[in-house]
Amino acid sequence: MVVVAPAADDDHGGAAVVVVREFHEGRDRAAVERLEGACEVGPSGGKLCLFTDLLGDPLCRVRHSPPYLMLVAETAASEVVGVVRGCVKTVSCGRGNLFSKVAYLLGLRVAPSHRRRGIGRRLVSRMEEWFKLSGAEYAYVATDVSNSPSVRLFTDRCGYAKFRTPSVLVHPVFRHDLSPSSRRRVTIVNLPPRDAELLYRARFASGGGVEFFPSDIDAVLNNPLSLGTFLAVPSSFVSAAGGELELDIEAFMASPPESWAVASVWNSKDAFCLEVRGAPKLLRAAARATRLADAALSPWRVLRVPSIPDLFEPFGMHFVYGLAGDGDDAPEMARSLCRHAHNVARRGGARVVVTEVAAGDPLRAGVPHWPRLGAEDLWCIKRLADGYGDGELGDWSKAPPGNSIFVDPREF
């Protein structure tokens, strides 16, 4: 499929003759890698900027979410100056058992030398055409709330509305394991994918007030990048048999304990890496000093100190998704799960653990994080389908927030 963009620019009067076409893996891989390496993630213009290393796979953020599409913008000189990715899926709307077919637009990049020429809008417009052909009722996009150019592009020029404001919470991975912290004795059980699917569907897909829960959760849980689902329960709720912890998931769902929490871990490190550039030498030296102290003191448990990981070279992360729970102690159990995820990440070579939670999620209080490493996200949404009744759902783009948001790790 080849889609040709208009020949004249209509945003700022500059000439920008480009062709918008489908990404060709053999032809465009190197060019897209170079483009990604030149484009910062998040707000531009600051001294510290975040860049992405796709590890040789420009499709890594959509490859696991069929159907998907990737478009590039190419000049007459065959230079790739823009790229965007998109995928279509069916997700919960946070209202009863209602689901909707939605499209997610991500990874929009325009070369610094070709910005403010309408290329970004053309890429979005052409991707939306494919979204509509795929039957999507809504399109949504996530951007940093402080990234004013991106926010203006989507809300002022592309017809999107500000929708949700979840927070990206980041915790560095230290050289030592973190001990689960809880006011009561807690056991963490590793759930098989089938048990995790049953629990998630019962929790998220049956009127739990959760938005964007994917109907193909089984594909997520069985993906090789998913490192497991972990359930935190009171120790009295499980039994040890042959050295292995056992839990009857159906019995658990029928009669759960007063407090519990669940979360899954995704190995983003093997899909892409990040890198912080523009850090002053003093900050680099201070970060190096904390790591040296952490390494030197680690044999003494009580003297372990937090260290700033080396984020000034390409680094990988693990993503915690599907965080949920019930009961007064659920936030503390969520903390134990996040500490367990930290230990999994340390052994797996990741340097940060990341999760994203809705603004009003009660479990947010239990997620350990460093505020300076995180970000505030803005999700914008656009209704694509015309000429149909609102039905039970109504216009989702105007609905109040649900209790929580399920952030799909395949597209983070």
Side-chain angles (χ1 to χ4, degrees):
M1 178 187 72
V2 176
V3 189
V4 180
D9 190 290
D10 55 2
D11 274 359
H12 298 275
V17 181
V18 299
V19 171
V20 176
R21 59 172 176 80
E22 189 170 343
F23 167 78
H24 186 279
E25 193 156 1
R27 172 183 172 185
D28 300 321
R29 178 190 292 263
V32 171
E33 286 262 64
R34 288 193 296 271
L35 177 62
E36 289 280 350
C39 295
E40 69 279 5
V41 180
S44 59
K47 292 183 178 180
L48 290 178
C49 294
L50 189 64
F51 292 80
T52 306
D53 180 353
L54 300 178
L55 304 180
D57 183 10
L59 289 168
C60 63
R61 294 182 65 195
V62 290
R63 187 181 295 281
H64 302 283
S65 302
Y68 63 82
L69 179 67
M70 181 170 171
L71 300 175
V72 298
E74 184 180 54
T75 68
S78 300
E79 179 186 6
V80 173
V81 295
V83 63
V84 71
R85 304 158 180 86
C87 60
V88 177
K89 57 188 177 181
T90 300
V91 303
S92 64
C93 302
R95 303 169 69 181
N97 293 312
L98 296 177
F99 281 73
S100 181
K101 197 169 187 179
V102 304
Y104 183 43
L105 192 150
L106 72 160
L108 176 63
R109 307 278 189 267
V110 176
S113 60
H114 284 72
R115 290 174 183 170
R116 299 181 64 81
R117 301 186 187 185
I119 295 174
R121 186 167 68 173
R122 292 178 195 170
L123 285 164
V124 171
S125 177
R126 293 307 183 270
M127 185 62 76
E128 288 177 351
E129 291 179 7
W130 178 73
F131 288 164
K132 292 177 182 179
L133 290 174
S134 301
E137 299 172 275
Y138 297 90
Y140 74 105
V141 62
T143 186
D144 192 296
V145 71
S146 59
N147 189 343
S148 299
S150 178
V151 174
R152 286 197 300 269
L153 169 65
F154 288 104
T155 59
D156 295 348
R157 300 174 191 167
C158 297
Y160 286 71
K162 297 179 181 179
F163 189 57
R164 301 292 183 254
T165 54
S167 298
V168 179
L169 306 180
V170 182
H171 195 280
V173 174
F174 306 147
R175 290 178 180 267
H176 54 268
D177 279 356
L178 295 183
S179 300
S181 173
S182 179
R183 291 173 294 172
R184 58 192 297 183
R185 192 178 177 195
V186 171
T187 294
I188 295 178
V189 181
N190 190 348
L191 295 180
R194 177 57 180 164
D195 286 359
E197 179 187 350
L198 290 173
L199 178 57
Y200 277 137
R201 290 195 187 280
R203 173 69 180 181
F204 291 152
S206 301
V210 178
E211 296 178 308
F212 297 98
F213 174 73
S215 62
D216 65 339
I217 184 62
D218 53 320
V220 179
L221 297 170
N222 286 287
N223 190 289
L225 293 178
S226 191
L227 300 179
T229 298
F230 307 98
L231 178 67
V233 296
S235 297
S236 59
F237 205 80
V238 296
S239 62
E244 296 291 333
L245 293 173
E246 293 184 349
L247 183 143
D248 186 329
I249 194 64
E250 293 184 355
F252 171 87
M253 291 188 295
S255 181
E258 291 184 0
S259 296
W260 60 275
V262 64
S264 300
V265 180
W266 184 270
N267 182 15
S268 301
K269 182 179 73 69
D270 284 354
F272 62 90
C273 287
L274 301 169
E275 180 182 357
V276 175
R277 299 180 189 169
K281 291 183 179 179
L282 183 61
L283 178 58
R284 289 173 175 263
R288 189 180 305 111
T290 67
R291 293 195 299 275
L292 292 173
D294 186 12
L297 298 175
S298 58
W300 293 276
R301 186 180 185 87
V302 295
L303 295 178
R304 288 177 177 178
V305 294
S307 57
I308 300 174
D310 189 356
L311 307 181
F312 312 119
E313 296 179 358
F315 64 91
M317 71 177 192
H318 281 181
F319 186 70
V320 176
Y321 68 98
L323 183 64
D326 271 329
D328 293 341
D329 289 332
E332 192 64 27
M333 290 187 168
R335 182 176 297 275
S336 292
L337 288 174
C338 290
R339 286 173 173 262
H340 182 75
H342 171 283
N343 299 339
V344 172
R346 187 187 70 81
R347 292 188 286 271
R351 294 185 192 163
V352 296
V353 174
V354 181
T355 191
E356 187 166 9
V357 296
D361 194 321
L363 296 188
R364 175 176 176 156
V367 179
H369 64 283
W370 285 18
R372 289 189 178 183
L373 294 180
E376 297 300 315
D377 247 1
L378 173 64
W379 288 19
C380 299
I381 196 169
K382 180 179 182 178
R383 186 171 178 175
L384 297 176
D386 296 319
Y388 68 93
D390 286 340
E392 295 180 83
L393 174 62
D395 186 348
W396 187 18
S397 66
K398 300 176 181 178
N403 296 334
S404 62
I405 286 177
F406 188 101
V407 181
D408 195 324
R410 296 172 293 185
E411 297 125 29
F412 181 81

